[in-house]
Amino acid sequence: MHTRRSSRTLRTGGILLAAALLASACSASASTGTATSAADVTPAALPTATLAALASYYGQKVRWRSCGVPGFECATLKAPLDYDKPAGGDIRLAVTRKKATGPGKRLGSLFVNPGGPGGSASGYLQAYAGIGYPATVRARYDMVAVDPRGVARSEAVECLDGRDMDTYTQTDTTPDDAHETTELVDAYKEFAEACGAHSPGLLRHVSTVETARDMDVVRAVLGDRKLNYVGASYGTFLGATYAGLFPDRAGRLVLDGAMDPSLPARRMNLDQTAGFETAFQSFAKDCVQQPDCPLGTRGTTTAEVGRNLKAFFRKLDAHPIPTGDADGRRLGEALATTGVIAAMYDESSWAQLREALTSAMRERDGAGLLVLSDSYYERDAGGRYSNLMSANAAVNCLDLPPSYDTPEEVERALPSFEKASPVFGEGLAWASLSCAYWPVRATGEPHRIEARGAAPIVVVGTTRDPATPYRWARSLAAQLTSARLLTYEGDGHTAYGRGSACIDSAIDAYLLRGTAPANGKRCS
């Protein structure tokens, strides 16, 4: 059985949700349309034949070089910036590969994507998938990662960085009055303006549809007749989009921690808010059984645990506490909430969260929660951020229209968010406003994906997944005509490699032999 590290640390399945100024729910500051209208929109598959204007991209030669990491090789390929105007310029795509190790017949390439949007697929391959996937899978497949356009080593979107990003991440996302509301709106505007200033052309062309088309170019360049793929979290939306565009080229696709592309914004955001509440309740039940829980003891209800945490957040809102940070950052409500959210993705982080909360609540030492928050934002000890947050916002705000257009709309929605999660609801509601000030209009909308004619696609859902609620997996599986729904009854975000032999053996059998699990199979 392969070992899996925290999904937040490696961005395995890291859908960045609308918490603490993050860019919005799971791929989505979605449209506010109705579920019925979304269900009627089913994008057509692209023509099988390669358009002559794209022939130079599909026919390019790959030149591998050393990545500086033993066993891995890297290359740079090109794709059109605008697929509708392929003569208008190129974009660079960073590709990483670890060749099949044998024994056994090579099965081609296996593309992996960790989610985000904005997570580096190349970093994920080198840090985890290329060494942590089952040896039997790595023996038969060339493991391949493509950093999506706008992300990491590919042509990257840039917005704020360094001290400006520090200021942004500390902005109060639960405004108490008109002045604080204005400060939050100004922060969203400044972030959006910086993205527009630093990446004006690229910002219009980082949609999931364009990234899926990039994957098809790379597939062809690598000589694969079909795309074999494991995508986590937002990576499931990317994989499903590929299947919808190229159903005849969809090979063995695993979509783990599935998104539902048909949902309107309010439903998606509320679902994810409720998902984090479900995860927090699981944490709370476990916490009070532990001798080091700072939020309660045996007999303390989950509702009381939530109220205790919320009261702590309110104290931090008024009086941030020291962290020992070299740049002088103190732990306020925004960073503390992000730290708690980060630990909800994987139950293996619960002990770390208890320790961090104990230090903060009893010793006024915010260092532990700051570490969790920094890992979420991919901020290093030197104060440098990856482009994760920039890319996350750019993709989300282009894929779907903003959830809300004004602070007044958010205020009207607050009761429903707070009902979905008394702990996180208020902050998640306000974070849903971030795309309202984006400098580029959205090009996508909620839609169903059917992928008629595709080979069996394995859709994986976890019953208590905080970031991609289980109902989304059921919905995506119902949309895809060839889907097989595989359920993990447990906690945490995504399921493959989490420790369930049942899940892992079902996915491995599919990847190695093409034997898809029975639809509706359940594991624990």
Side-chain angles (χ1 to χ4, degrees), residues 37-57:
S37 63
D40 294 335
V41 181
T42 306
L46 291 173
T48 301
T50 300
L51 296 176
L54 299 177
S56 64
Y57 297 102

Side-chain angles (χ1 to χ4, degrees), residues 15-183:
I15 276 190
L16 293 180
L17 108 127
L21 289 165
L22 301 192
S24 144
C26 190
S27 155
S29 7
S31 143
T32 55
T34 65
T36 302
S37 63
D40 294 335
V41 181
T42 306
L46 291 173
T48 301
T50 300
L51 296 176
L54 299 177
S56 64
Y57 297 102
Y58 276 84
Q60 64 189 297
K61 303 299 182 183
V62 60
R63 294 179 176 83
W64 296 106
R65 63 183 184 278
S66 172
C67 293
V69 180
F72 294 88
E73 51 189 358
C74 292
T76 301
L77 295 177
K78 63 180 182 179
L81 175 65
D82 184 347
Y83 276 93
D84 291 333
K85 300 176 181 177
D90 299 337
I91 189 171
R92 298 187 307 275
L93 300 175
V95 184
T96 304
R97 179 177 73 172
K98 186 177 185 184
K99 296 187 72 172
T101 57
K105 181 181 178 182
R106 180 181 172 278
L107 296 174
S109 301
L110 179 63
F111 288 65
V112 295
N113 182 279
S120 170
S122 295
Y124 171 66
L125 181 67
Q126 293 178 10
Y128 170 65
I131 56 178
Y133 266 37
T136 51
V137 173
R138 290 182 285 115
R140 306 285 300 281
Y141 283 101
D142 291 345
M143 302 291 292
V144 174
V146 183
D147 279 350
R149 52 173 60 207
V151 175
R153 302 170 193 177
S154 290
E155 202 103 11
V157 170
E158 299 295 342
C159 301
L160 300 176
D161 200 5
R163 291 297 180 91
D164 289 336
M165 193 67 187
D166 281 346
T167 300
Y168 182 68
T169 60
Q170 294 176 77
T171 305
D172 185 359
T173 54
T174 56
D176 299 317
D177 52 37
H179 175 69
E180 290 187 352
T181 299
T182 298
E183 287 185 336

Side-chain angles (χ1 to χ4, degrees), residues 475-508:
S475 179
L476 180 61
Q479 294 171 45
L480 294 168
T481 57
S482 62
R484 306 288 179 87
L485 177 62
L486 177 62
T487 298
Y488 173 53
E489 297 177 342
D491 296 294
H493 185 39
T494 71
Y496 188 41
R498 185 168 288 282
S500 169
C502 175
I503 289 287
D504 292 351
S505 61
I507 293 176
D508 292 346

